[in-house]
Amino acid sequence: MSQIETYQVIVLGGGKGGKTLAIELGQNGVKTALIERSAEMIGGSCINVACIPTKTLIASARAAQAARRAGDFGIRTADVAVDWPAVRSRAEGVVSAMRAMNHKNFASAPALDFLLGTGRFVGPKVIEVRDSKGDVRQLTAENIFINTGTRPAQPSIPGLAEAGALNSESIQRLDELPEHLVVLGGSYVALEFAQMFRFFGSKVTVLERAPQLIKREDPDVAETLAKFLSEEGIDIRLDCGIERVEKDGQGVSVVFTSGGKPARVSGSHLLVALGRSPNTEDLNLAAAGVETDKRGFIKVNERLETTASGIWALGDVNGGPQFTHASLDDYRIVKANVFGEGKRTTVDRLVPFTLFTDPELARAGLTEKEARQKGLDVFVAKLPVAAIPRAKTMSETRGFIKVVIDVKTNQILGCAILSIEAGEMLGTVQTAMIAGLPFTALRDCVRSHPTMVEGFNYLPSNPN
């Protein structure tokens, strides 16, 4: 074994938060090592297997659907044909370019050493790195940041492994479009893939174990989105208890109960979208004194410190919000606390999300259900998207805006937008919430006409 190499900082895993921290430190003369397990994962999950490739695929799916709707706009087109290999090639090109850009950023930071290999703790502040050739080196640093992310969960359903089920990563590598895709799950990942493949022309069935889709959302939001998906031809089954999965010729069958009655659905392919599991089991965290919860996520406090002094955890692996933008904010927190004024925490931060269905669903803050459960006196301002002039011009009138307001303070507690461009619209509300502006400031601001954000001007006042 060679001598232990000493760094000022080690970043284990190159997700959004970790790579951003490593590059900045490396550019500012802090001797830093960034360890990434695979050349195919340079830049993290987001650009390689998650946000970027999936949203690129969704863009192609929306183009196919827009072509089918061309007649609504007075445009004549031929029959729509989806060239799946070309769709895949486009997504792979976007990913490759971003991966190369990340690698260039790593190489351009003079004090940053980028190491390809599998890292694991062998002591409180010592990490062993094994590369693809089997060569091993040991590194140590006073400050270590873990950013190893998550992977698609593999639930213990009888017959699942034998049936060749797909996950959110492997489904992107299919050689041909599914004839009939069966989706286990009714949350964000499941619904994006379900609608995407429906737009590509596949028959799609969604099996959700809860009594509503996206179970954390208010019932009116979930039911309206479910209605839109059903109208597009997606077969949605709720309250499903999955019993087993069976190989069915060249396809697969799912045996389940729905409403207490036995049922079976057969398809050509099965997608399992039932959450994420942390990449921690191979890190030997016990050697460093880093504790995990029962699911394997690393325990952290509001400053993202683990149970071991000098070791922090960023991004999905710490069990926080499973979003790239949350990981980026984790970077801001550790940068401030370790290398700056030390005043940032995760307490009360406002983390938005966007579900990239068509129409999109975007939300920040409390749902109406959560606000009422807290005993808050709330007023709900709700507006159908059909009332927005811009939506009419685009023939995109499905959905609504829903703002939850504290009656006593007139503060915005939360907002859900089910609409075209919802993710972009939400930023306006989030900024108002962070600034502490009253609901009336959001509603009465002078906005460009005709735009989607102009819809906030039409929100109703509190009738009381």
mmCIF file of all heavy atoms in Angstrom, residues 83-101:
data_model
loop_
_atom_site.group_PDB
_atom_site.id
_atom_site.type_symbol
_atom_site.label_atom_id
_atom_site.label_comp_id
_atom_site.label_asym_id
_atom_site.label_seq_id
_atom_site.Cartn_x
_atom_site.Cartn_y
_atom_site.Cartn_z
ATOM 1 N N ASP A 83 -39.441 8.107 -34.522
ATOM 2 C CA ASP A 83 -38.186 7.404 -34.791
ATOM 3 C C ASP A 83 -37.450 7.276 -33.452
ATOM 4 O O ASP A 83 -36.656 8.136 -33.082
ATOM 5 C CB ASP A 83 -37.361 8.208 -35.797
ATOM 6 C CG ASP A 83 -36.070 7.500 -36.214
ATOM 7 O OD1 ASP A 83 -35.684 6.526 -35.534
ATOM 8 O OD2 ASP A 83 -35.450 7.941 -37.195
ATOM 9 N N TRP A 84 -37.733 6.182 -32.739
ATOM 10 C CA TRP A 84 -37.190 6.017 -31.391
ATOM 11 C C TRP A 84 -35.665 6.037 -31.350
ATOM 12 O O TRP A 84 -35.080 6.693 -30.470
ATOM 13 C CB TRP A 84 -37.741 4.751 -30.752
ATOM 14 C CG TRP A 84 -37.139 4.394 -29.423
ATOM 15 C CD1 TRP A 84 -36.405 3.299 -29.126
ATOM 16 C CD2 TRP A 84 -37.230 5.152 -28.213
ATOM 17 N NE1 TRP A 84 -36.023 3.309 -27.811
ATOM 18 C CE2 TRP A 84 -36.513 4.444 -27.213
ATOM 19 C CE3 TRP A 84 -37.833 6.359 -27.855
ATOM 20 C CZ2 TRP A 84 -36.387 4.888 -25.909
ATOM 21 C CZ3 TRP A 84 -37.713 6.825 -26.545
ATOM 22 C CH2 TRP A 84 -36.992 6.086 -25.594
ATOM 23 N N PRO A 85 -34.956 5.356 -32.256
ATOM 24 C CA PRO A 85 -33.492 5.459 -32.243
ATOM 25 C C PRO A 85 -33.001 6.900 -32.392
ATOM 26 O O PRO A 85 -32.018 7.294 -31.762
ATOM 27 C CB PRO A 85 -33.066 4.587 -33.431
ATOM 28 C CG PRO A 85 -34.160 3.575 -33.560
ATOM 29 C CD PRO A 85 -35.409 4.331 -33.244
ATOM 30 N N ALA A 86 -33.676 7.697 -33.201
ATOM 31 C CA ALA A 86 -33.281 9.099 -33.366
ATOM 32 C C ALA A 86 -33.591 9.896 -32.100
ATOM 33 O O ALA A 86 -32.823 10.793 -31.719
ATOM 34 C CB ALA A 86 -34.005 9.712 -34.563
ATOM 35 N N VAL A 87 -34.699 9.577 -31.449
ATOM 36 C CA VAL A 87 -35.039 10.232 -30.183
ATOM 37 C C VAL A 87 -33.967 9.937 -29.138
ATOM 38 O O VAL A 87 -33.478 10.835 -28.439
ATOM 39 C CB VAL A 87 -36.422 9.766 -29.683
ATOM 40 C CG1 VAL A 87 -36.671 10.231 -28.251
ATOM 41 C CG2 VAL A 87 -37.524 10.281 -30.611
ATOM 42 N N ARG A 88 -33.607 8.660 -29.048
ATOM 43 C CA ARG A 88 -32.553 8.271 -28.106
ATOM 44 C C ARG A 88 -31.227 8.932 -28.432
ATOM 45 O O ARG A 88 -30.515 9.409 -27.536
ATOM 46 C CB ARG A 88 -32.366 6.751 -28.130
ATOM 47 C CG ARG A 88 -33.221 5.977 -27.157
ATOM 48 C CD ARG A 88 -32.750 4.532 -27.070
ATOM 49 N NE ARG A 88 -31.336 4.442 -26.703
ATOM 50 C CZ ARG A 88 -30.629 3.319 -26.697
ATOM 51 N NH1 ARG A 88 -31.199 2.179 -27.052
ATOM 52 N NH2 ARG A 88 -29.378 3.322 -26.345
ATOM 53 N N SER A 89 -30.891 8.972 -29.708
ATOM 54 C CA SER A 89 -29.626 9.564 -30.132
ATOM 55 C C SER A 89 -29.563 11.036 -29.757
ATOM 56 O O SER A 89 -28.513 11.534 -29.329
ATOM 57 C CB SER A 89 -29.454 9.398 -31.641
ATOM 58 O OG SER A 89 -28.252 9.993 -32.083
ATOM 59 N N ARG A 90 -30.669 11.737 -29.903
ATOM 60 C CA ARG A 90 -30.700 13.147 -29.537
ATOM 61 C C ARG A 90 -30.433 13.317 -28.041
ATOM 62 O O ARG A 90 -29.639 14.166 -27.624
ATOM 63 C CB ARG A 90 -32.056 13.750 -29.896
ATOM 64 C CG ARG A 90 -32.238 15.190 -29.421
ATOM 65 C CD ARG A 90 -33.568 15.774 -29.881
ATOM 66 N NE ARG A 90 -33.798 17.046 -29.236
ATOM 67 C CZ ARG A 90 -34.432 17.206 -28.066
ATOM 68 N NH1 ARG A 90 -34.918 16.144 -27.442
ATOM 69 N NH2 ARG A 90 -34.584 18.398 -27.538
ATOM 70 N N ALA A 91 -31.098 12.507 -27.217
ATOM 71 C CA ALA A 91 -30.898 12.600 -25.772
ATOM 72 C C ALA A 91 -29.467 12.252 -25.395
ATOM 73 O O ALA A 91 -28.853 12.918 -24.542
ATOM 74 C CB ALA A 91 -31.880 11.675 -25.047
ATOM 75 N N GLU A 92 -28.928 11.218 -26.013
ATOM 76 C CA GLU A 92 -27.556 10.811 -25.718
ATOM 77 C C GLU A 92 -26.561 11.896 -26.112
ATOM 78 O O GLU A 92 -25.537 12.101 -25.446
ATOM 79 C CB GLU A 92 -27.242 9.499 -26.427
ATOM 80 C CG GLU A 92 -27.986 8.307 -25.826
ATOM 81 C CD GLU A 92 -28.003 7.086 -26.734
ATOM 82 O OE1 GLU A 92 -27.437 7.185 -27.853
ATOM 83 O OE2 GLU A 92 -28.587 6.055 -26.349
ATOM 84 N N GLY A 93 -26.866 12.628 -27.183
ATOM 85 C CA GLY A 93 -25.997 13.718 -27.593
ATOM 86 C C GLY A 93 -25.988 14.854 -26.595
ATOM 87 O O GLY A 93 -24.921 15.437 -26.301
ATOM 88 N N VAL A 94 -27.161 15.178 -26.061
ATOM 89 C CA VAL A 94 -27.248 16.226 -25.035
ATOM 90 C C VAL A 94 -26.456 15.819 -23.802
ATOM 91 O O VAL A 94 -25.695 16.607 -23.233
ATOM 92 C CB VAL A 94 -28.723 16.510 -24.676
ATOM 93 C CG1 VAL A 94 -28.817 17.458 -23.486
ATOM 94 C CG2 VAL A 94 -29.460 17.104 -25.870
ATOM 95 N N VAL A 95 -26.625 14.571 -23.380
ATOM 96 C CA VAL A 95 -25.917 14.069 -22.203
ATOM 97 C C VAL A 95 -24.410 14.074 -22.424
ATOM 98 O O VAL A 95 -23.639 14.522 -21.555
ATOM 99 C CB VAL A 95 -26.408 12.655 -21.841
ATOM 100 C CG1 VAL A 95 -25.495 12.009 -20.798
ATOM 101 C CG2 VAL A 95 -27.839 12.700 -21.327
ATOM 102 N N SER A 96 -23.963 13.583 -23.559
ATOM 103 C CA SER A 96 -22.526 13.513 -23.841
ATOM 104 C C SER A 96 -21.887 14.887 -23.803
ATOM 105 O O SER A 96 -20.782 15.067 -23.262
ATOM 106 C CB SER A 96 -22.284 12.862 -25.206
ATOM 107 O OG SER A 96 -22.710 11.519 -25.212
ATOM 108 N N ALA A 97 -22.573 15.875 -24.358
ATOM 109 C CA ALA A 97 -22.029 17.232 -24.372
ATOM 110 C C ALA A 97 -21.916 17.795 -22.961
ATOM 111 O O ALA A 97 -20.909 18.435 -22.620
ATOM 112 C CB ALA A 97 -22.904 18.135 -25.233
ATOM 113 N N MET A 98 -22.914 17.534 -22.133
ATOM 114 C CA MET A 98 -22.871 18.055 -20.763
ATOM 115 C C MET A 98 -21.850 17.308 -19.922
ATOM 116 O O MET A 98 -21.187 17.893 -19.059
ATOM 117 C CB MET A 98 -24.264 17.983 -20.139
ATOM 118 C CG MET A 98 -25.260 18.899 -20.821
ATOM 119 S SD MET A 98 -26.826 19.047 -19.931
ATOM 120 C CE MET A 98 -26.321 19.972 -18.481
ATOM 121 N N ARG A 99 -21.715 16.008 -20.172
ATOM 122 C CA ARG A 99 -20.698 15.233 -19.457
ATOM 123 C C ARG A 99 -19.303 15.745 -19.797
ATOM 124 O O ARG A 99 -18.453 15.914 -18.915
ATOM 125 C CB ARG A 99 -20.839 13.754 -19.814
ATOM 126 C CG ARG A 99 -19.926 12.832 -19.006
ATOM 127 C CD ARG A 99 -20.022 11.421 -19.546
ATOM 128 N NE ARG A 99 -21.360 10.890 -19.455
ATOM 129 C CZ ARG A 99 -21.884 10.040 -20.312
ATOM 130 N NH1 ARG A 99 -21.204 9.655 -21.375
ATOM 131 N NH2 ARG A 99 -23.115 9.574 -20.144
ATOM 132 N N ALA A 100 -19.068 16.024 -21.078
ATOM 133 C CA ALA A 100 -17.765 16.551 -21.506
ATOM 134 C C ALA A 100 -17.503 17.925 -20.900
ATOM 135 O O ALA A 100 -16.365 18.242 -20.510
ATOM 136 C CB ALA A 100 -17.712 16.624 -23.030
ATOM 137 N N MET A 101 -18.550 18.743 -20.820
ATOM 138 C CA MET A 101 -18.395 20.063 -20.217
ATOM 139 C C MET A 101 -18.001 19.954 -18.748
ATOM 140 O O MET A 101 -17.146 20.690 -18.256
ATOM 141 C CB MET A 101 -19.701 20.842 -20.345
ATOM 142 C CG MET A 101 -19.657 22.246 -19.749
ATOM 143 S SD MET A 101 -21.281 23.039 -19.748
ATOM 144 C CE MET A 101 -22.145 22.026 -18.511
#
